[in-house]
Amino acid sequence: MTNKLHFLHENFCSMPGQSRVLLALVVTLVLTCVMGHGIQYRLNNMLHEYMEDQLQQSINMMSQMDNDIINRRLDWLADISVELEQHPESQELIMDMARESAGMGDLGILQRDGTQLYGDGAVTLEEFPDIVRIWHGNADLIVNAAGTAYAIAAPIHDIKTGNVRAVLYCRAAPDSIVTELLDAKGLQDASFWLVSSSGHVIGRPDFSKDEHGQEHFDRIMTGGCIDEMLQELRKAPVVIHSDASHDTKNFVTAAEIRPNVYLVGYITGDMLVKPVEDITGFLRHGYAAFLAFTVLMLLYIFLLETRLLLHSQAKTEQALDEAQMARAQAERAKTQAEEARAHAEEAKQQAEQANQAKSLFLSNMSHEIRTPINAIIGMDEMILRESKEPAIESYATDLRGSALHLLGLVNDILDFSKIEAGKMTLVPVEYGLASLLNDIVNMTEVRARNKNLAFILNADPNLPTVLHGDEVRIKQIAMNILTNAVKYTRQGSVTLSVTFRKTADDKIILRFSVRDTGIGIKPEDLPKLGHAFERIEEERNATIEGTGLGMNITQRLLQLMHTHLEVESVYGKGSTFAFEVEQDVVDFQPLGDFEQQVRRLVPQETEAALFIAPTADVLVVDDVEMNIKVFRGLLKRTEIHVDSALSGAICLEMVQKKAYDVIFLDHRMPEMDGIETLQRMKAMQHLCKGKPVIALTANAISGARKEYIDAGFTDYLTKPIDSHKLESMLKKYLPPEKVQEVTAEDAKAEDTAAAESLPEWLRTQTLLDTKSGLTNCGSPEDYLETLQLFAEAYEENAATIQSFFDAADWKNYTIRVHALKSSARIIGANKLSDLAAALEQAGNAGDAATIQKDTPRLFELYAECEDVLKPVLPEAAAEGEAADDGSTKEPMTAEELQEAYEALKELAATFDYDSVQFVLEDLAGKEPPADEKEHYEAVCKAAKKPDWMALQKLLE
């Protein structure tokens, strides 16, 4: 092949120049003709593809318009239904007016038993069995059992009970919707009709003006075409078939407009093909003109080239060579640019994936480390509360400081991740400077004392007492510097100096300076201070623990505050670190003696903020009954009146009927979560305007408080709920006149006496941590009630989780597992809670493989807890009582039962939980009449939860 090409090249070069030009022009003309035909063929194909795309879009738009027509009719029917609900006495007048104004078909009203309240029976239960769907409360189009007719129907509710009492229907002419559609689109050479899912025609079209219409209709409906198209509609929204049975190309189309209702029809090819043929003809004539022009131009070029060739053949060849080289270089540059762009995009994707993986890792690590740290802090808090020995209290105080520091290290890692992602923000708040300094001193003194170092604080006595700024970040920066100073100082002292200078009437520059007598820093190592995960003189300081993040975070936080870190160091003698931040002044009163200010502003850690508030009213909203039971138990000794709601919707009803002093609102609830409930509450009129609304959440990560404050909450409280934090928060937000102080000694004596009443079977089992369960629930009685609620909810809750698991509905599965995590943690089922927490995390991440693997173990642990808790179920308790004394309950008369129902009905209307429980206790020793026993048990079950909506319905 190479030899042949070389031979042809030599023969071409040996030809005279004019002959070469002529041959080149002939070849060019041939290539132009071939390319022209190719382009024309391609344009024809593109035009036909465009025609079919336009047809598909038109059919899709027609199906949407058809659906809109049906929706407009449904809306019209729903409006009439509302009028009938509000004015049932004017039924005849409303229906007559609707029939006159509509003109769309036969109107009527059908009752549940099939009787006609109005109309001539155009729709019956026998012909339209699907009309029972309307009893569920939604207007819809229904098709008769034969699939040959349709009607639209809307429910008519009973305005008192809210139940559907009848159905308003309209049976229109089968082709009225299609006629309105064709009129709206202005289609002339097309026919459409409706087909049910069974393949039957809903209204036969009129083909009197279409000579081929009947033929098309018969071929489509009887030739198997309709079944094939209905099968294809399961995979695509629109199906189009070509039909070349006549001289012109026609199209058969089908599209779904409602469930089980399809729009089928044909469109003649003249409507679509003619514009395409016109364009094709134009292109054909244009191509002929172009070809003629090309021939003329080639002849002209031939003559011109012949003339030029005689004078400058060599120059022309050189120019052609240069052009080819430039073109090759351009192609190479284009290829290199595309490769560079592909490499950059790949690098970007890899960086984003790495960043996401890092964020997920840090989040998971934070959760795993926080859990044991929180347990340590919680147990230490129990030691501080229960121990009376000064030495043990001192050790526990030191332990708490160290645990909090460990928690701070975890927060450092997360802060570094946030700063890298650009998500770190400052949160200015009002704070007491003495309290800030006290925290810094307490955390630093422990470290300094352990290394036999002197810690010195020099605080300007003229410092203002109350400032406004980001207290948390200032404390974090100071602690990072002080921690490093203590770590790298072997002997001597660490001195913290806090001074200020006034810059405006309400602003100061606050200066922190830390001087140590440590090892110092070499001048060449100073630039390394800000490098993440890099430590100075690694070999010399190998025995000193550290991550290398402290100074990096410090410098980045100072950059956020528009300031910087000042460093002075003499190697071998020590260093001085200082920074300045601008703060707003709230109170210029001088700080004075620091120790005195600490005693006045900072309460002792071991003092319990206990009180009673018998006249206070609190509402707690949580979708888990057991969480509400625990909440009541924790507040039992405060004597606060607690009402509850199991959903956001019930909460919105209750705040319109009663004024509460504080509202506790769970964040994660199904249907309407806490944030949505709060937003709706703010947008409506109710009796709790301006009252504190506190978020209940299991989200304890850094920044959670800002998230809830930004969402409109007054404050937030983490679950499981710490009783001291709950009491302190209530003491802060309840009206002062409703709060009465109680001493810590009285409360501790009461707790000690109550903790000895757990049954033996519960004390001897090993699955539940009863100590944490008692702490979470507040008292043994409330703990046992909480265990009973947990056991009673097992069957329903396990079935619900199983159904969501089987359906791969990971969203609702995650919500249910989240609720199980919290309730299991409250009763002390820690293994079950931990596994539920892991599955919740997998659900949030969409990790279906982990869910599939670990859910069976979740059900096993859940079942084991149920087996352990069988003694707390009412059936077991009743059997035990009967076996003990063989006594029978006092029979209850029908009159007594009715009086109890009336009392419960009045109390349920005001959501008075305590009074409802008092009535239930009074009824506990009585046996209801046999024919009322099932209804009586349902009432008691709803009242114990309490499920206010279910209770009110049962009592109606």
Side-chain angles (χ1 to χ4, degrees), residues 471-592:
E471 174 193 17
V472 174
R473 298 307 171 193
I474 294 174
K475 184 192 303 183
Q476 182 178 0
I477 294 169
M479 284 306 305
N480 282 344
I481 297 173
L482 285 166
T483 300
N484 275 358
V486 173
K487 283 196 300 185
Y488 293 101
T489 301
R490 294 189 176 92
Q491 59 183 3
S493 64
V494 174
T495 302
L496 170 63
S497 300
V498 185
T499 59
F500 78 103
R501 66 178 185 273
K502 190 173 181 181
T503 58
D505 291 341
D506 58 348
K507 293 183 182 296
I508 64 168
I509 297 294
L510 188 62
R511 180 178 179 84
F512 286 78
S513 176
V514 177
R515 186 178 72 255
D516 64 60
T517 58
I519 61 176
I521 304 172
K522 295 178 180 179
E524 60 269 23
D525 287 335
L526 286 175
K528 298 180 182 179
L529 277 175
H531 294 177
F533 301 105
E534 184 173 350
R535 301 172 65 199
I536 296 173
E537 294 191 271
E538 186 73 41
E539 294 182 1
R540 179 183 181 186
N541 302 318
T543 59
I544 299 176
E545 297 180 353
T547 61
L549 284 177
M551 284 296 105
N552 180 272
I553 294 173
T554 295
Q555 293 189 4
R556 294 195 183 195
L557 289 175
L558 288 172
Q559 289 174 4
L560 280 177
M561 297 179 177
H562 307 292
T563 184
H564 63 280
L565 182 65
E566 304 171 11
V567 183
E568 296 179 2
S569 183
V570 178
Y571 188 66
K573 293 185 178 181
S575 306
T576 300
F577 290 79
F579 67 91
E580 295 180 342
V581 290
E582 185 178 64
Q583 300 286 279
D584 295 330
V585 180
V586 178
D587 188 350
F588 262 113
Q589 181 179 352
L591 182 66

Side-chain angles (χ1 to χ4, degrees), residues 111-132:
Q111 294 192 107
R112 281 182 179 269
D113 59 1
T115 59
Q116 300 283 338
L117 285 181
Y118 183 91
D120 53 4
V123 172
T124 64
L125 288 175
E126 293 75 17
E127 184 181 3
F128 289 87
D130 278 351
I131 201 170
V132 297

Side-chain angles (χ1 to χ4, degrees), residues 704-908:
R705 175 183 174 83
K706 183 178 184 299
E707 174 187 346
Y708 290 111
I709 297 301
D710 291 344
F713 287 94
T714 309
D715 211 329
Y716 91 112
L717 190 63
T718 58
K719 295 190 293 186
I721 297 172
D722 181 273
S723 60
H724 284 255
K725 290 183 179 179
L726 174 62
E727 291 169 354
S728 298
M729 190 168 289
L730 281 169
K731 188 175 181 181
K732 176 180 178 181
Y733 291 113
L734 283 175
E737 63 273 10
K738 294 188 177 183
V739 177
Q740 304 174 25
E741 296 288 345
V742 176
T743 63
E745 289 74 14
D746 294 340
K748 186 174 291 187
E750 181 182 342
D751 291 342
T752 303
E756 300 175 355
S757 58
L758 287 179
E760 182 179 357
W761 66 266
L762 185 56
R763 294 197 305 270
T764 56
Q765 59 79 38
T766 59
L767 187 61
L768 303 180
D769 181 0
T770 56
K771 185 174 182 179
S772 63
L774 280 170
T775 302
N776 293 331
C777 296
S779 69
E781 295 80 5
D782 291 317
Y783 184 35
L784 290 173
E785 289 186 23
T786 303
L787 291 175
Q788 180 180 342
L789 284 173
F790 186 89
E792 290 176 344
Y794 164 76
E795 185 174 348
E796 178 183 354
N797 199 30
T800 303
I801 295 175
Q802 183 70 57
S803 66
F804 289 140
F805 175 76
D806 294 339
D809 184 353
W810 304 137
K811 179 180 179 181
N812 285 311
Y813 172 90
T814 303
I815 292 174
R816 285 291 183 176
V817 171
H818 167 81
L820 178 59
K821 174 194 72 174
S822 299
S823 56
R825 181 71 67 188
I826 288 171
I827 67 169
N830 295 329
K831 290 183 180 179
L832 177 61
S833 178
D834 291 341
L835 182 55
L839 288 171
E840 178 194 9
Q841 186 177 9
N844 289 329
D847 187 357
T850 299
I851 295 175
Q852 296 282 357
K853 179 173 68 72
D854 292 341
T855 298
R857 177 54 182 162
L858 180 79
F859 286 126
E860 290 178 7
L861 284 175
Y862 203 178
E864 290 176 11
C865 290
E866 170 67 8
D867 289 338
V868 169
L869 296 177
K870 282 183 179 179
V872 301
L873 293 173
E875 296 82 0
E879 292 175 2
E881 291 175 3
D884 289 341
D885 55 18
S887 61
T888 59
K889 294 184 178 180
E890 177 185 350
M892 187 189 314
T893 65
E895 291 77 12
E896 291 175 334
L897 181 60
Q898 187 60 36
E899 289 178 3
Y901 282 167
E902 292 296 332
L904 288 173
K905 185 175 181 181
E906 293 179 5
L907 296 172

Side-chain angles (χ1 to χ4, degrees), residues 452-472:
N452 294 320
L453 299 176
F455 177 67
I456 304 168
L457 173 65
N458 295 325
D460 189 337
N462 295 317
L463 282 165
T465 54
V466 183
L467 302 177
H468 184 270
D470 194 330
E471 174 193 17
V472 174

Side-chain angles (χ1 to χ4, degrees), residues 77 81 84 91 95 107-113 115-118 123 125 128 130-140 142 151-157 164-170:
L77 203 64
S81 173
L84 291 171
Q91 174 178 297
M95 292 299 294
L107 288 170
I109 300 176
L110 186 68
Q111 294 192 107
R112 281 182 179 269
D113 59 1
T115 59
Q116 300 283 338
L117 285 181
Y118 183 91
V123 172
L125 288 175
F128 289 87
D130 278 351
I131 201 170
V132 297
R133 290 191 286 109
I134 310 303
W135 297 112
H136 296 164
N138 296 317
D140 204 353
I142 54 175
I152 57 175
I156 302 175
H157 297 82
V164 177
R165 63 180 179 84
V167 172
L168 173 63
Y169 66 82
C170 175

